[in-house]
Amino acid sequence: MNLVESIRTIFLKPGIEKVKARDGENLFFALVSAGIPIRGECGGKGICGRCRVRFVENAPPPTELEKRFLSLYELDEGWRLACQHVIEKDVSLWIPFFGETFEKKIAKLPGSVPFSPKAAFIYVEVPFSERSGEGSKIENLKAALGENIGISLSVLQELPQALKEGKGKVTLIQVGKKVVTLRPGHRAIPLLGLAVDLGTSTLAAYLLDLHKGIELGEKAIANPQLSFGADVLSRIAYVHEKGKEGLERLREAVIEGVNRLAAELCSKARVATDEIVHIVVVGNPAMLHLFLGVDPTPIGEAPFKPVWREVLSLRAKELNLRMVHPRAVVEVPPLISGYVGADTVACILACRLHEKESPCLLLDLGTNGEIVLGWKERLLTCSAAAGPAFEGGRISCGMPALKGAISHVHLTQGSLNFKVIGEIDPLGICGSGLVDLLALLLEEGLVDATGRFSFRPDHPLFSRVIGCGNNAKFLVAKGIYLTQRDIRELQLAKAAIRAGIELLLDKAGLSPQEIHCVYLAGTFGSEMRPQALVKIGLLPTGLLPKVQPIGNAAASGAIIMLLNKSAFKEAIFVAKKAEYVELSSEKQFVKKFVANMRFT
Amino acid sequence: MLEELKKAVLDGEDEKAAELTRKALEAGIEPGKILNEALVPAMEIVGKEYEEGKRYVPEMLISAEAMKAAMAVLRPKLVKSGVKLKGKVIIGTVEGDLHDIGKNLVAMMLEGAGFEVIDLGVDVTAERFIQAVKEHKPDVLGMSALLTTTMIHMPEVIAALKAAGLREQVKVIVGGAPITREYAEKIGADGYAPNAASAVELVKQLLSVS
């Protein structure tokens, strides 16, 4: 028996990275622990069939399960499911989308946000001579400031040296009343803030100069937690199954993601990471629970209650955020319910929904479609479980809006054309591409009102429809299909959102005509062609001219909270005012949901 | 008239289906005959068309609703005439889960296939399942879960059945979006069906009826 643990190497392509793994270790978990962003919506349970990897050579014999998920052709090419194999020797793998990150376009800030950040530096001069003055150094400092400030142990430890070096002059860096750090002398020092949006599929961060009020950079990466499940529920189930250890793994994954974003943004902007002193983190409730290492399992079951709802103000060090100042103030805006979180509050702030004279609709179309119907009188919110389809999840050739994703599909003179992110050969199709494609197929009569592929031998595109019944699929590009099952997923997703919209309108006693404006938030939402959304029935027809894409509004809201100190108070006001409607306990919702599965 | 009733169910015309059932009864047609020669064949077609991809949830549901309307008229007569149903099924969505579309479809398809169905609704705790099994003595217990976070209650119900000494009396079947055949086997259920149409086949097979 071999008592020495053998270490194997996994070579990853298309990049050039190498990963070490133990002999006999499960391939999926080896890749996950190495931080490789492999898809795996079920977390390695052999349920989802998404952890596809291609063995460049010597693929192991396929398992029965793989024969169900992969075609003969794919098996022949060496495609396997990582969770089905253990590592027995060095292997070379090709992993889809490995190493691809992308830049996410931020929304323009709506109107002008008054620039008065919570983070500020203050010049202080205190009697320096040891003999002059009666009080302690801190008392002198406080006297000089003329107000109460929060002093931490580390500030105490830094104070004598700074006073000495600065000959009585120090620069205090504060966020609100919390002192983050102090520097000797009086000088304009960099003062940076980080806005973080924790999405189920993507993490996005924005670096800001809080002294000058300018943006220094933005970056988004795939959420490293994708390996533990595509939607928040499967991640919650993972915590339920693995307990504390599982929660810790998920927490580490997202924290490392944020660390990576902060490090890369700082290096690109040529600034030091410890100059980031104020961080605002928004996200859906489940993501925030996981980010803070708080057990999210109560959100997983009716009545879906979050552990907390109020504003949190923490320090970077206690969260293990390493690529910012260790005492940086980390703030999390309030939550509305277990499924409507700080991200929605931030979106409301970004489009000023709470100040509108007439009713407006706000849609944040991610895995959980948050819907807000609001104006200055009311803010009705709900979350429709659209599933990950709009983000390319649970779709056979679906992928997030990353490089290589087909983002738009259109017909020009009868032939099918598409746009690919990064203008490379297409690797898959993302939400906006899916909706475009479905709208096109409906428009051309290739898919009927029930969502089924039609028999249309007369149509020039019909030659792209392969197979029939439940096995029918539409060839989009080489190796990329839209299957009958994919259409069913999209039907469920759009029906959930539309039913949610209708239910909120009913609750407010309004008709679609009374809606003044429809704000589409989120990367998916902003990339969407409103015509396609109306065509597939996600939005009522009459709302077409009222649609306004607003980009990643959750991030915009977080940025506003960095730039303007009163925005947090507003966030609290918004969260208090918001009414939450739990769709799954509404009888009317089920009726509307079923009715809206069809296309009209 | 039975052909007409069958068509009304297939087309999802619930009021017409109820009306035709009433007329058929008035015309002296045996309740058992109405069930077996109109409703059961109609729902068989619905199930088959679903499996073939010709129908999806909404098209299946409208027929199921029409069948339900006809059954509401027919059920009291069936009981009175002593028609022997194929078996008794208790069904419910597990604790913490409020989804009922899938579960309702299964219930209606089973009813349409000639089974007696007792629907416990949603958010059903293990205790309520056990109590219902004691009270109704069903042949089959069906559990549904739509959330990855609530499917974990299925093995709890099976364990509770064992603890109450009821496990041998009843076949347990499970279903719902996150459930797989492998999961059903793992938790010791007797059967799994990926959709409402195949749930009917599964129950027939478990009870050896046709």
Side-chain angles (χ1 to χ4, degrees):
Chain A
M1 207 177 99
N2 187 5
L3 291 176
V4 183
E5 236 181 12
S6 314
I7 298 296
R8 303 294 181 192
T9 308
I10 310 172
F11 297 93
L12 300 171
K13 295 174 181 192
I16 39 157
E17 205 147 322
K18 279 188 254 177
V19 167
K20 297 285 177 195
R22 273 179 292 109
D23 196 50
E25 192 175 357
N26 178 287
L27 181 56
F28 175 79
F29 288 104
L31 292 169
V32 169
S33 359
I36 305 302
I38 183 172
R39 305 287 300 268
E41 294 157 18
C42 68
K45 292 198 201 83
I47 294 172
C48 71
R50 301 309 300 272
C51 56
R52 294 158 158 243
V53 296
R54 188 164 63 84
F55 285 77
V56 179
E57 54 203 1
N58 301 330
T63 63
E64 282 308 308
L65 194 106
E66 283 172 326
K67 287 181 192 162
R68 271 204 278 132
F69 280 114
L70 302 163
S71 69
L72 282 175
Y73 177 70
E74 288 168 323
L75 291 170
D76 241 25
E77 277 195 316
W79 287 100
R80 296 289 184 274
L81 301 179
C83 70
Q84 296 296 301
H85 298 281
V86 294
I87 299 156
E88 291 166 328
K89 54 184 178 225
D90 291 358
V91 287
S92 285
L93 299 178
W94 197 88
I95 297 180
F97 326 132
F98 168 62
E100 299 287 342
T101 56
F102 69 112
E103 305 288 325
K104 201 163 166 179
K105 262 337 291 154
I106 185 190
K108 276 200 194 98
L109 295 181
S112 57
V113 181
F115 181 58
S116 66
K118 211 169 179 179
F121 50 76
I122 300 161
Y123 298 135
V124 191
E125 189 160 5
V126 297
F128 173 58
S129 160
E130 290 296 333
R131 287 181 193 93
S132 65
E134 297 287 308
S136 68
K137 285 187 167 48
I138 283 291
E139 280 160 353
N140 290 341
L141 184 69
K142 282 186 176 171
L145 277 172
E147 60 177 315
N148 260 330
I149 51 161
I151 299 291
S152 66
L153 175 63
S154 346
V155 169
L156 271 184
Q157 289 166 346
E158 284 173 12
L159 184 61
Q161 183 66 26
L163 279 175
K164 203 168 163 186
E165 266 179 50
K167 297 196 168 55
K169 288 178 179 166
V170 289
T171 308
L172 279 180
I173 298 170
Q174 284 177 246
V175 175
K177 289 202 187 305
K178 288 184 175 176
V179 178
V180 174
T181 187
L182 43 81
R183 303 272 163 86
H186 284 178
R187 52 198 165 109
I189 40 184
L191 189 69
L192 304 180
L194 191 70
V196 180
D197 174 28
L198 306 176
T200 309
S201 307
T202 51
L203 305 182
Y206 304 81
L207 184 65
L208 287 105
D209 184 321
L210 297 180
H211 181 54
K212 296 181 187 138
I214 53 167
E215 195 191 311
L216 299 178
E218 59 189 77
K219 188 163 182 69
I221 55 170
N223 187 334
Q225 291 180 339
L226 277 174
S227 314
F228 301 90
D231 52 61
V232 294
L233 281 178
S234 35
R235 293 180 206 164
I236 296 173
Y238 181 83
V239 174
H240 201 284
E241 196 188 318
K242 307 270 174 190
K244 261 199 160 141
E245 189 199 325
L247 177 58
E248 187 52 24
R249 284 177 80 168
L250 284 166
R251 192 190 69 84
E252 268 173 18
V254 64
I255 294 284
E256 283 318 310
V258 175
N259 283 340
R260 196 179 127 199
L261 284 169
E264 286 180 24
L265 283 170
C266 286
S267 116
K268 212 169 172 188
R270 297 173 185 281
V271 292
T273 53
D274 66 356
E275 280 158 2
I276 300 177
V277 295
H278 190 193
I279 301 141
V280 173
V281 182
V282 299
N284 62 55
M287 279 308 303
L288 291 173
H289 278 66
L290 295 172
F291 173 74
L292 299 178
V294 175
D295 181 8
T297 50
I299 307 176
E301 286 188 40
F304 314 109
K305 293 276 185 247
V307 173
W308 83 95
R309 293 207 316 159
E310 43 280 279
V311 177
L312 299 178
S313 180
L314 310 152
R315 298 282 186 147
K317 205 176 166 185
E318 54 185 326
L319 295 170
N320 213 12
L321 288 173
R322 286 178 284 102
M323 296 302 165
V324 297
H325 194 284
R327 287 192 301 276
V329 173
V330 182
E331 288 183 298
V332 181
L335 320 181
I336 294 171
S337 77
Y339 282 95
V340 182
D343 49 354
T344 306
V345 171
C347 284
I348 294 172
L349 281 191
C351 62
R352 323 278 326 144
L353 212 60
H354 56 298
E355 290 175 345
K356 301 283 177 203
E357 289 295 325
S358 41
C360 295
L361 206 54
L362 167 67
L363 302 177
D364 190 357
L365 300 176
T367 308
N368 286 304
E370 290 96 345
I371 307 167
V372 188
L373 172 62
W375 69 104
K376 62 179 187 183
E377 305 289 329
R378 287 181 87 175
L379 287 169
L380 286 143
T381 69
C382 71
S383 164
F390 287 145
E391 301 199 354
R394 241 188 272 151
I395 297 292
S396 46
C397 293
M399 64 180 282
L402 301 173
K403 203 166 156 185
I406 296 176
S407 62
H408 288 284
V409 183
H410 54 96
L411 268 188
T412 29
Q413 289 161 348
S415 69
L416 196 69
N417 280 297
F418 46 79
K419 216 166 101 186
V420 181
I421 300 175
E423 287 167 7
I424 59 170
D425 281 342
L427 296 169
I429 183 162
C430 67
S432 57
L434 287 165
V435 173
D436 258 11
L437 180 60
L438 181 57
L440 186 148
L441 293 173
L442 287 165
E443 191 77 51
E444 296 298 313
L446 288 164
V447 167
D448 69 17
T450 70
R452 194 176 161 227
F453 278 115
S454 317
F455 185 69
R456 289 282 311 275
D458 55 306
H459 197 286
L461 288 180
F462 186 70
S463 58
R464 288 173 176 262
V465 181
I466 301 155
C468 60
N470 279 332
N471 295 318
K473 55 186 181 180
F474 182 85
L475 175 69
V476 188
K478 189 171 173 270
I480 299 169
Y481 298 93
L482 182 78
T483 67
Q484 182 68 67
R485 208 156 290 175
D486 297 339
I487 297 178
R488 298 309 188 196
E489 287 289 338
L490 289 165
Q491 278 180 278
L492 294 176
K494 74 107 182 176
I497 303 282
R498 175 67 180 268
I501 294 173
E502 291 183 1
L503 194 86
L504 291 192
L505 284 170
D506 281 3
K507 292 256 164 197
L510 294 170
S511 69
Q513 290 77 30
E514 290 170 88
I515 298 296
H516 177 67
C517 186
V518 181
Y519 296 104
L520 281 184
T523 350
F524 163 72
S526 299
E527 281 295 304
M528 278 318 310
R529 279 192 316 121
Q531 293 89 335
L533 287 177
V534 168
K535 183 71 208 173
I536 69 162
L538 186 141
L539 283 176
T541 318
L543 295 182
L544 181 57
K546 299 173 180 175
V547 177
Q548 198 180 320
I550 53 170
N552 188 354
S556 305
I559 290 171
I560 291 170
M561 286 181 255
L562 283 174
L563 296 180
N564 185 305
K565 58 184 162 212
S566 57
F568 249 96
K569 282 187 200 121
E570 239 178 340
I572 297 167
F573 168 80
V574 162
K576 277 214 176 103
K577 191 176 179 71
E579 303 161 59
Y580 175 66
V581 180
E582 173 55 49
L583 296 180
S584 59
S585 53
E586 292 279 341
K587 280 275 164 270
Q588 277 305 311
F589 175 74
V590 176
K591 274 197 181 153
K592 291 178 190 292
F593 176 55
V594 173
N596 279 305
M597 279 182 209
R598 293 174 66 98
F599 301 106
T600 48
Chain B
M1 190 170 335
L2 291 184
E3 264 315 300
E4 242 184 291
L5 173 58
K6 189 171 143 190
K7 191 172 176 305
V9 171
L10 284 174
D11 295 343
E13 296 178 78
D14 48 357
E15 279 167 30
K16 195 171 169 194
E19 183 55 33
L20 284 167
T21 309
R22 225 169 276 129
K23 278 189 182 157
L25 287 169
E26 278 163 19
I29 304 176
E30 288 290 315
K33 194 173 160 144
I34 299 175
L35 177 69
N36 290 318
E37 289 179 24
L39 301 184
V40 172
M43 292 314 280
E44 265 172 12
I45 294 172
V46 170
K48 201 167 141 257
E49 289 187 346
Y50 178 86
E51 299 248 290
E52 287 168 356
K54 282 187 189 155
R55 279 173 191 256
Y56 190 45
V57 179
E59 297 78 36
M60 196 173 183
L61 246 143
I62 54 163
S63 284
E65 292 285 355
M67 189 277 307
K68 210 175 155 187
M71 275 307 280
V73 179
L74 194 61
R75 196 177 293 114
K77 309 284 177 203
L78 272 176
V79 176
K80 222 181 263 173
S81 69
V83 171
K84 209 171 156 354
L85 289 166
K86 285 176 187 157
K88 197 191 272 186
V89 183
I90 280 187
I91 194 168
T93 303
V94 298
E95 186 179 352
D97 200 320
L98 307 175
H99 294 86
D100 67 353
I101 298 176
K103 184 261 303 164
N104 290 352
L105 262 179
V106 173
M108 290 190 263
M109 289 303 287
L110 283 169
E111 206 160 19
F115 290 92
E116 182 185 353
V117 179
I118 296 155
D119 187 347
L120 301 180
V122 297
D123 198 5
V124 181
T125 59
E127 296 87 78
R128 277 188 57 213
F129 274 119
I130 301 300
Q131 200 192 342
V133 169
K134 280 184 187 158
E135 188 184 329
H136 300 285
K137 302 191 170 44
D139 304 294
V140 175
L141 171 65
M143 286 186 273
S144 163
L146 255 288
L147 304 175
T148 328
T149 44
T150 53
M151 61 193 241
I152 49 168
H153 293 303
M154 289 179 167
E156 291 170 13
V157 176
I158 294 177
L161 278 173
K162 279 185 189 152
L166 297 166
R167 182 67 187 89
E168 299 308 315
Q169 297 175 20
V170 64
K171 299 279 183 197
V172 176
I173 61 169
V174 293
I179 313 294
T180 59
R181 194 173 301 283
E182 286 76 17
Y183 183 75
E185 273 169 27
K186 194 178 119 192
I187 63 169
D190 298 304
Y192 155 81
N195 56 56
S198 55
V200 174
E201 288 313 307
L202 174 68
V203 171
K204 282 182 182 171
Q205 198 192 327
L206 286 173
L207 301 184
S208 312
V209 293
S210 56

